[in-house]
Amino acid sequence: MSSFDTPHRIFLFEMVNGKKKAGYGPSPGEAYERLGLRLTTMEMAQVRPDKFERVSQREFRKHIHELG
Amino acid sequence: MGVFPTKRLWLDLGDFGVFAHGGAQDLWQDHGLGVLRTIMHQAGVPTDIASTRAMRWWWQVRRAVRGYDQLFMNVRSYTFPFAYRAAKIFKEENPKGLVLVGGMHATVALDELEAVPEIDYICQSAGENVVVPLALNPESFPRIIKGISSKTLGEWPMMDRTLWPNPQRRDFPWPLEPSCGWGPPPVATVLTSRVCPWQCVFCSESSYIPNMGRKPVDQVIDELNYLDDHYGPLGSVVIYDSMFFQQPRWLEEWLEKYPKRAHKVWPYWAGGRTDTVRQWPDLFEALVRETNWDTVSLGFESGSTRVLNILNKETTAEDNDFSIDLVNELGDKMEAEGKKAPVFWANIMLGIPGETREDAFATIRMLRKMKRVLPSIAYYAPYPGSILGHQLIAEGRSNMTKDNYHRYAHDRKVKGIDYDFYDGLLKGKFDRGINAGSSKELEARLVKA
């Protein structure tokens, strides 16, 4: 599971309030699951697992103002 | 009537008084300042130097900046409070003078610098190709400047370390540096590479620093030999790279040439990741043994894979255990051979959002498996620039403000974290839950991170 076997990607998940939540992992599904490691069930309910875009680390700065 | 030359001042930033009374990490010199001043001086654009670290009061800053036309500052997040106050004082003293800033904070938190009206020019990203024309013709630039970095570190001139501030201490071997406990003094700090390409979300440095080629091995060795000849004899080396143990071809060349070409195989501190150690264990062992890599800084961060996933470290607790076993065994063998064993500089974070008590116990257990270790423990801090930092700021969970970006390891920087638990953990209150023994030493090892 190191970076050599399964490189990770960054995903921006849409939230029901129109903001976005940054998640990361080898796949969108795992990135969503990993958000649940630090967010409450109620907070996770605000995140839409099926609506996301993949962004590169380099491009992430363009999306800072969208986070919530 | 003669034309008066422009008077330029570089202000080195840091906590007041630390040159006289600070800890080892407070005495580190600023490579950004050193390289940029070198470039300016070689281009015939001289600057004077002053340091807040050599002062104790703001009136001393006022006196230092008085009479200058231009003020240059390399601003990091943790020095931003000093930078904006110094900018205001400079303008009060020199209303027609210009304040020109760059550095990491200009890149990761531009809005905070833009909000300071006393700052006239802000250079984002790399300053090496813009600092001279900016100093000579500032009016030809917009307020916000996007710097363009060199393609490789090999294009940078060799830094003139006499352009660093001189702390004027008997135990400070300026222009070399004192020991901070990693190796014997005098110490030469060098960079061979810039920017770690991994995506750990507590750092994310490749999101704001452009990739640059690595400095050629021969150039690194030539610089060390030069420093040894002119200011030495050198005692040890610190390779400041965010990620030294990467790019095996470069490392193999270092392995071949450093023991042969350097005046001495000086012991050195350098950093890596546990998954790269696991990926290239033979190369790692050869570097430790043959190039005297005797203080091995690894970003363990946590003993829990769950927390490593929260941090997007892309390593596992198994990767960490592999590296610990390897270095423990290697150290035993080297001691049996009468050689000095390598020591870990173990980077550890606690107080990470989502971390459970059991995760924290796993981290302390991991730390205790290391036979020879200098623990570097800090509570997680959501710095702007990092992906997790920006996310937590957006969620309203950060306690950091522009007035407290400092790097104090015990600071309570995230809302909702049970810091009393962590203070207790480091005091040994939960040792029964971890295993026997006292954690007093760990508490004492909280360092600026």
Side-chain angles (χ1 to χ4, degrees), chain B residues 221-276:
Chain B
I221 297 169
D222 288 345
E223 180 167 6
L224 292 175
N225 285 341
Y226 173 89
L227 295 172
D228 187 53
D229 282 338
H230 289 77
Y231 311 115
L234 287 184
S236 60
V237 173
V238 171
I239 299 179
Y240 258 155
D241 305 13
S242 301
M243 180 59 188
F244 169 75
F245 192 60
Q246 61 172 329
Q247 301 167 337
R249 266 192 289 180
W250 190 98
L251 294 168
E252 282 158 6
E253 190 181 342
W254 174 253
L255 177 63
E256 182 204 334
K257 290 181 173 173
Y258 180 58
K260 288 181 191 157
R261 286 205 52 233
H263 290 172
K264 184 181 166 188
V265 189
W266 296 289
Y268 65 95
W269 178 102
R273 293 167 51 90
T274 60
D275 62 337
T276 56

Side-chain angles (χ1 to χ4, degrees), chain B residues 150-161:
Chain B
S150 302
K151 287 200 173 126
T152 80
L153 276 175
E155 291 176 18
W156 286 5
M158 188 171 74
M159 183 168 53
D160 178 355
R161 290 164 197 250

Side-chain angles (χ1 to χ4, degrees), chain B residues 205-217:
Chain B
E205 72 172 1
S206 73
S207 72
Y208 48 84
I209 305 177
N211 278 326
M212 291 177 76
R214 203 161 190 172
K215 186 180 274 196
V217 167

Side-chain angles (χ1 to χ4, degrees), chain B residues 171-407:
Chain B
D171 60 351
F172 196 111
W174 182 91
L176 296 175
E177 293 167 84
S179 172
C180 67
W182 294 338
V187 175
T189 56
V190 294
L191 282 172
T192 76
S193 67
R194 200 163 182 230
V195 189
C196 170
W198 274 264
Q199 303 183 94
C200 311
V201 292
F202 56 86
C203 173
S204 317
E205 72 172 1
S206 73
S207 72
Y208 48 84
I209 305 177
N211 278 326
M212 291 177 76
R214 203 161 190 172
K215 186 180 274 196
V217 167
D218 285 314
Q219 204 173 325
V220 178
I221 297 169
D222 288 345
E223 180 167 6
L224 292 175
N225 285 341
Y226 173 89
L227 295 172
D228 187 53
D229 282 338
H230 289 77
Y231 311 115
L234 287 184
S236 60
V237 173
V238 171
I239 299 179
Y240 258 155
D241 305 13
S242 301
M243 180 59 188
F244 169 75
F245 192 60
Q246 61 172 329
Q247 301 167 337
R249 266 192 289 180
W250 190 98
L251 294 168
E252 282 158 6
E253 190 181 342
W254 174 253
L255 177 63
E256 182 204 334
K257 290 181 173 173
Y258 180 58
K260 288 181 191 157
R261 286 205 52 233
H263 290 172
K264 184 181 166 188
V265 189
W266 296 289
Y268 65 95
W269 178 102
R273 293 167 51 90
T274 60
D275 62 337
T276 56
V277 172
R278 197 173 182 181
Q279 185 75 9
W280 306 306
D282 294 340
L283 178 57
F284 175 79
E285 186 168 339
L287 285 165
V288 170
R289 279 187 170 277
E290 293 168 39
T291 70
N292 217 353
W293 183 8
D294 79 341
T295 309
V296 179
S297 172
L298 292 182
F300 293 98
E301 323 306 354
S302 174
S304 157
T305 298
R306 189 178 162 281
V307 173
L308 293 169
N309 285 338
I310 293 172
L311 297 173
N312 201 38
K313 184 75 190 180
E314 297 184 74
T315 57
T316 61
E318 290 73 33
D319 292 330
N320 289 352
D321 287 342
F322 177 91
S323 301
I324 293 166
D325 291 343
L326 180 65
V327 173
N328 282 347
E329 286 169 23
L330 182 56
D332 291 346
K333 280 187 212 161
M334 289 175 72
E335 278 187 351
E337 294 163 11
K339 297 174 183 164
K340 183 180 176 299
V343 174
F344 277 127
W345 177 259
N347 297 286
I348 302 288
M349 267 190 271
L350 292 169
I352 297 150
E355 183 177 58
T356 64
R357 289 188 173 204
E358 190 46 49
D359 292 327
F361 292 163
T363 297
I364 302 300
R365 275 187 219 110
M366 175 187 74
L367 196 49
R368 289 181 177 172
K369 284 183 205 159
M370 301 176 200
K371 286 189 178 177
R372 304 163 190 90
V373 59
L374 299 166
S376 169
I377 306 171
Y379 293 159
Y380 167 76
Y383 276 101
S386 68
I387 290 175
L388 184 56
H390 281 300
Q391 182 60 61
L392 292 170
I393 291 166
E395 291 172 11
R397 293 178 203 242
S398 174
N399 283 330
M400 297 181 80
T401 69
K402 61 181 171 51
D403 296 315
N404 74 348
Y405 281 138
H406 47 228
R407 302 171 74 188

Side-chain angles (χ1 to χ4, degrees), chain A residues 1-4 6-8 10 20-22 24-25 34 37-39 43 57-58 60-61 64 67-68, chain B residues 107 198-199 201 204 206-207 209 275 279 306 309-310 312 314 316 319 353-354 387 390-391 394-395 397:
Chain A
M1 284 295 286
S2 76
S3 60
F4 292 91
T6 47
H8 290 194
I10 296 160
K20 291 182 179 173
K21 192 75 84 182
Y24 22 83
R34 286 172 187 192
L37 296 176
R38 70 170 187 86
L39 297 177
E43 288 167 334
Q57 185 169 218
R58 195 102 199 117
F60 181 81
R61 296 188 52 73
I64 291 165
L67 299 175
Chain B
T107 302
W198 274 264
Q199 303 183 94
V201 292
S204 317
S206 73
S207 72
I209 305 177
D275 62 337
Q279 185 75 9
R306 189 178 162 281
N309 285 338
I310 293 172
N312 201 38
E314 297 184 74
T316 61
D319 292 330
I387 290 175
H390 281 300
Q391 182 60 61
E395 291 172 11
R397 293 178 203 242

